[in-house]
Amino acid sequence: MSGVQQISVSADETGMRLDRWFKTHFPGLNFGRLQKLLRSGQVRVDGARVKTNHRLDAGAVVRVPPLDDDAQAPKPPRQERARSESPLAKLILHEDETLMVLNKPHGLASQGGPGVSRHVDGMLDTLRDAKGQKPRLVHRLDKDTSGCLVVAKTRLAASALAKTFRSRSARKIYWALVVGAPKPPQGKISTWLKRHGPKGDERMIVARHGEEGADHAVTHYAVIESAARRYAWMSLKPVTGRTHQLRVHMQHLGTPILGDPRYFDRQNFEFPAGLQNKLHLLARRITLPHPDGGTLDVTAPLPPHMQQSCAVLGMNPANMSEDMFEQD
């Protein structure tokens, strides 16, 4: 049992509810016990009595009375063991004190949903820091899309990165293998997209300007390499971030992404030997302002099924440009 503690609220905890603050620092202290401590005045903020929903300011001092050892935060070694055993640890492409970038594999959902029990958001519990703070997703990738997924390690970073993605300051480059070869080989797709179909089986379709529920979607595209005009390796730069935008836009061009379970519309198509029926879409590169200053620039490697397709089609990823849109 520890004595009375006077703990200062960090800048990263600005705006956090007091009950959430206690859950982070003292995960073993249940809500009912915290309420009793607040009612009796044993827990105070800057000397004043407050309620569980009180929002904390940076620099505020929280008085914490003596607590049982069970209420204390997990010890760092326990967190370190959990981290070393985490399946996400092997997927880290970049990590610093503020954020990490994961190489999300094909088939792993970013977040949970109906029928989804295994997803990145749930697995982030295994990457909690010494204070028990869980990293936070700041954007998503489709379940079958591979590549760069940014995760914030602090509340401040999550807020800053969320603003970055909302303002479209994040620059994202995707690679895709499509069936056919777009004409012209480089251009811009500008359409309106809306949801269509029964709930639970919805898909995005191209809509008319002004239709209810339709959002504008813009994608720059360029052919990097083609194989006898039957297949094309594409570099895609989404300007907007609509659901399934790249997949719908490639279908709209008449060159659907190979292995797309939802938008591949080539009738009687047979997969050549060696090409797997998996979505060939990779979040290849992400560049954005780092919350701590400077620029984050991370590139993801090709997933195994896309590497295999390159080899079968005689394409060489080593000769492919990382970015076809430097002039845009």
Side-chain angles (χ1 to χ4, degrees):
M1 180 177 290
S2 60
V4 173
Q5 301 178 67
Q6 303 285 346
I7 304 176
S8 294
V9 176
S10 69
D12 185 52
E13 295 167 335
T14 301
M16 183 182 283
R17 283 174 49 125
L18 183 62
D19 53 353
R20 294 288 301 276
W21 184 90
F22 267 92
K23 188 66 176 176
T24 297
H25 289 266
F26 303 96
L29 182 66
N30 65 50
F31 185 75
R33 174 64 175 152
L34 174 60
Q35 285 185 311
K36 290 180 181 179
L37 293 173
L38 287 165
R39 285 197 296 268
S40 64
Q42 295 183 69
V43 169
R44 296 177 180 242
V45 177
D46 288 336
R49 294 191 180 214
V50 293
K51 296 182 178 180
T52 55
N53 63 355
H54 175 79
R55 298 283 178 177
L56 296 167
D57 296 320
V61 177
V62 181
R63 181 191 187 276
V64 181
L67 298 173
D68 295 336
D69 291 341
D70 289 344
Q72 304 301 311
K75 294 180 173 58
R78 179 179 172 184
Q79 294 297 332
E80 290 171 5
R81 285 198 301 273
R83 179 188 175 89
S84 66
E85 297 168 359
S86 169
L88 294 183
K90 299 177 182 179
L91 304 178
I92 297 173
L93 295 171
H94 166 87
E95 182 176 16
D96 53 47
E97 293 182 355
T98 302
L99 57 82
M100 66 179 72
V101 181
L102 302 176
N103 182 23
K104 191 192 81 64
H106 170 278
L108 178 62
S110 296
Q111 290 182 300
V116 178
S117 58
R118 185 172 181 268
H119 48 85
V120 174
D121 191 38
M123 296 165 70
L124 287 172
D125 275 321
T126 60
L127 294 182
R128 289 181 182 272
D129 62 19
K131 293 182 179 180
Q133 185 171 214
K134 175 186 171 181
R136 301 165 172 83
L137 288 176
V138 292
H139 72 124
R140 295 184 301 170
L141 293 177
D142 294 341
K143 178 181 178 181
D144 292 332
T145 301
S146 310
C148 296
L149 183 67
V150 181
V151 178
K153 295 175 66 175
T154 69
R155 284 169 51 85
L156 281 180
S159 177
L161 289 167
K163 290 178 181 177
T164 293
F165 282 101
R166 283 197 301 269
S167 67
R168 302 179 187 171
S169 299
R171 199 161 184 269
K172 294 175 279 188
I173 300 296
Y174 288 74
W175 278 3
L177 180 62
V178 303
V179 176
K183 293 182 180 180
Q186 183 167 353
K188 180 175 78 171
I189 309 167
S190 178
T191 69
W192 293 79
L193 301 179
K194 72 172 186 179
R195 295 182 184 276
H196 177 74
K199 191 171 183 179
D201 191 31
E202 295 175 313
R203 63 184 60 207
M204 304 301 291
I205 62 171
V206 174
R208 292 190 302 271
H209 183 197
E211 283 192 52
E212 183 179 355
D215 293 312
H216 193 211
V218 178
T219 302
H220 293 276
Y221 73 89
V223 175
I224 302 175
E225 189 175 352
S226 63
R229 301 197 60 80
R230 295 180 61 189
Y231 300 93
W233 200 274
M234 306 291 299
S235 184
L236 307 173
K237 177 187 173 185
V239 177
T240 52
R242 310 303 179 197
T243 301
H244 298 172
Q245 175 178 318
L246 301 180
R247 298 162 63 179
V248 179
H249 274 174
M250 288 299 96
Q251 179 199 46
H252 181 64
L253 279 186
T255 55
I257 299 176
L258 186 69
D260 192 328
R262 190 173 290 263
Y263 299 100
F264 191 86
D265 56 3
R266 291 292 182 92
Q267 298 296 320
N268 302 316
F269 179 84
E270 294 186 7
F271 274 78
L275 270 62
Q276 298 183 48
N277 188 6
K278 293 182 178 180
L279 181 67
H280 283 59
L281 180 61
L282 169 70
R284 172 65 173 177
R285 182 180 180 187
I286 190 160
T287 307
L288 52 79
H290 196 289
D292 295 337
T295 301
L296 176 75
D297 190 344
V298 180
T299 299
L302 286 176
H305 68 284
M306 292 181 73
Q307 289 182 30
Q308 183 176 334
S309 296
C310 266
V312 171
L313 297 175
M315 296 177 172
N316 186 358
N319 296 331
M320 296 179 183
S321 171
E322 290 295 331
D323 192 344
M324 304 286 287
F325 309 103
E326 293 293 350
Q327 57 200 359
D328 291 336

